[in-house]
């Protein structure tokens, strides 16, 4: 009809981290944004950020009641253990998060960073900020943007923050994480359902 459709500057992934709807994502998602929306519907404010780690914590301006939220694992995963990433590829075109499966390749970054982990899994640019899950459904990390010192990583290599770095950042943000890690192993179908319930789009608007 000749009307210009407004679109976000960028779309990234985030996930609920508590029952009140607080969202954890990457700082890349929220930089230089006049407005930040969760799932294209709920305006959020930046409650905490750590530029060195690339972590941003968003607080919705209206109360949300997520179907599920991320529960942090007690510690880093085991190398070569299976992992899953729940994210929004295709710039959030899909209405529900999709699940990809891979393995934990190393408990360090490309330059030996101890706050990072390397995953044998392919992720899209818009999946930065996605939760990394083990097969109990516990969060073991968060996907980071796919560059290192300006270099693009190979398609099947993804960098993610380790769970201990996430825990330290959330504590610094003043969040009380009182949920015990999950223990029972889940099948892929139930894990995908859990991921979809906790994972959101984070869109930047100007």
């Amino acid at each position: 009809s000749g009307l210009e459709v407004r679109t976000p500057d960028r779309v990234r992934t985030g996930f609920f981290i508590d029952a009140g709807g607080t969202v954890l994502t990457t700082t890349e998602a929220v930089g230089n944004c006049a407005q930040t929306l969760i799932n294209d519907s709920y305006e959020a404010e930046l409650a905490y950020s750590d530029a060195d780690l690339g972590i941003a914590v968003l607080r919705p301006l209206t109360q949300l009641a997520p179907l599920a939220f991320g529960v942090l694992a007690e510690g880093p995963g085991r190398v070569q253990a299976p992992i899953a990433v729940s994210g929004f590829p295709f710039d959030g075109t899909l209405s529900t998060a999709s699940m990809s499966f891979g393995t934990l390749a190393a408990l360090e970054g490309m330059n030996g960073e101890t706050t990072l982990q390397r995953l044998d899994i392919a992720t899209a640019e818009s999946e930065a900020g996605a939760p990394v899950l083990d097969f109990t459904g516990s969060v073991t990390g968060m996907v980071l943007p796919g560059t290192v010192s300006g270099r693009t990583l190979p398609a099947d290599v993804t960098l993610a923050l380790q769970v201990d770095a996430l825990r330290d950042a959330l504590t610094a943000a003043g969040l009380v994480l009182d949920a015990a890690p999950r223990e029972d192993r889940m099948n892929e179908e139930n894990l995908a359902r859990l991921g979809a319930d906790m994972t959101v789009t984070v869109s930047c608007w100007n």
Side-chain angles (χ1 to χ4, degrees), residues 6 35-44 201-205:
R6 185 168 175 251
Q35 185 183 47
T36 302
L37 296 182
I38 298 169
N39 282 342
D40 286 332
S41 299
Y42 306 102
E43 188 172 1
T201 59
V202 177
S203 52
C204 173
W205 299 79

Side-chain angles (χ1 to χ4, degrees), residues 23-202:
V23 168
L24 183 62
T25 188
T26 173
T27 51
E28 186 203 32
V30 298
N32 300 317
C33 302
Q35 185 183 47
T36 302
L37 296 182
I38 298 169
N39 282 342
D40 286 332
S41 299
Y42 306 102
E43 188 172 1
E45 62 181 0
L46 181 63
Y48 176 84
S49 67
D50 186 320
D52 291 334
L53 291 176
I55 289 176
V57 176
L58 303 179
R59 183 174 294 115
L61 299 186
T62 57
Q63 178 118 20
L64 300 180
L67 294 174
F69 59 88
V71 175
L72 300 187
E74 289 185 338
R78 176 177 51 82
V79 174
Q80 294 305 313
I83 54 89
V85 169
S86 177
F88 282 91
F90 316 115
D91 292 327
T93 300
L94 301 177
S95 60
T96 303
S98 60
M99 187 72 80
S100 302
F101 298 94
T103 56
L104 174 58
L107 291 173
E108 61 181 15
M110 305 301 291
N111 298 308
E113 301 93 337
T114 57
T115 57
L116 303 181
Q117 55 185 319
R118 298 202 313 269
L119 311 176
D120 280 338
I121 191 172
T123 54
E125 184 179 25
S126 56
E127 289 181 285
V132 181
L133 305 174
D134 64 19
F135 268 69
T136 70
S138 297
V139 175
T140 63
M142 184 190 77
V143 172
L144 292 173
T147 59
V148 176
S149 301
R151 295 177 181 269
T152 301
L153 294 172
D156 57 350
V157 175
T158 291
L159 287 182
L161 284 171
Q162 286 200 35
V163 66
D164 290 342
L166 297 182
R167 182 178 291 103
D168 290 346
L170 293 174
T171 299
L175 294 175
V176 178
L177 304 176
D178 55 359
R182 298 179 170 93
E183 296 181 353
D184 295 335
R185 185 175 175 84
M186 306 176 72
N187 59 35
E188 290 187 359
E189 181 180 354
N190 289 336
L191 190 63
R193 185 178 298 113
L194 173 65
D197 287 345
M198 74 167 70
T199 308
V200 298
T201 59
V202 177

